[in-house]
Amino acid sequence: MLTVAEDTHLRERLLVAGVYATFTYGAAIIFGIPALILFERKGWTRWWQYTAAGAAIGFAVMMMFWIARPPMPDVRVFLIFAGIGSASALVFWALSRPSHAA
């Protein structure tokens, strides 16, 4: 998996950030949009539902990395991806919930 060490140059850091952004936006499109549609149909509008879905999506993205490129990384990496997914879903929920749409 790509990592950014302290001794990397700015150009390398930007390249790694671009690669990660591609996967992040891809996950939002492939998993996030269908989850949003499902949540709207089911009436699931609570913050914890969005947070749990975000964690599951973050975990799924890490699973795809692991399947594509073994060996298995440290378990903390899975937790980081799940945490980032849940945090981004919570921010999305806070910005898009119906009480803010008016």
Side-chain angles (χ1 to χ4, degrees):
M1 178 160 54
L2 296 173
T3 59
V4 178
E6 291 181 11
D7 61 343
T8 59
H9 297 287
L10 178 61
R11 186 181 326 166
E12 293 166 341
R13 289 181 186 192
L14 291 174
L15 177 65
V16 170
V19 170
Y20 279 130
T22 302
F23 285 105
T24 303
Y25 287 116
I29 292 168
I30 293 170
F31 298 115
I33 292 173
L36 176 63
I37 292 169
L38 173 70
F39 279 34
E40 286 180 353
R41 287 185 181 164
K42 296 287 187 178
W44 297 341
T45 59
R46 295 188 174 96
W47 68 269
W48 63 268
Q49 293 165 325
Y50 278 74
T51 304
I57 290 170
F59 190 84
V61 169
M62 186 57 224
M63 289 295 293
M64 289 188 306
F65 276 125
W66 173 51
I67 290 169
R69 194 160 178 201
M72 183 173 170
D74 189 353
V75 173
R76 291 177 288 185
V77 176
F78 285 94
L79 296 175
I80 289 169
F81 272 69
I84 291 170
S86 64
S88 62
L90 184 61
V91 168
F92 177 80
W93 172 84
L95 294 174
S96 67
R97 61 185 178 192
S99 63
H100 286 200

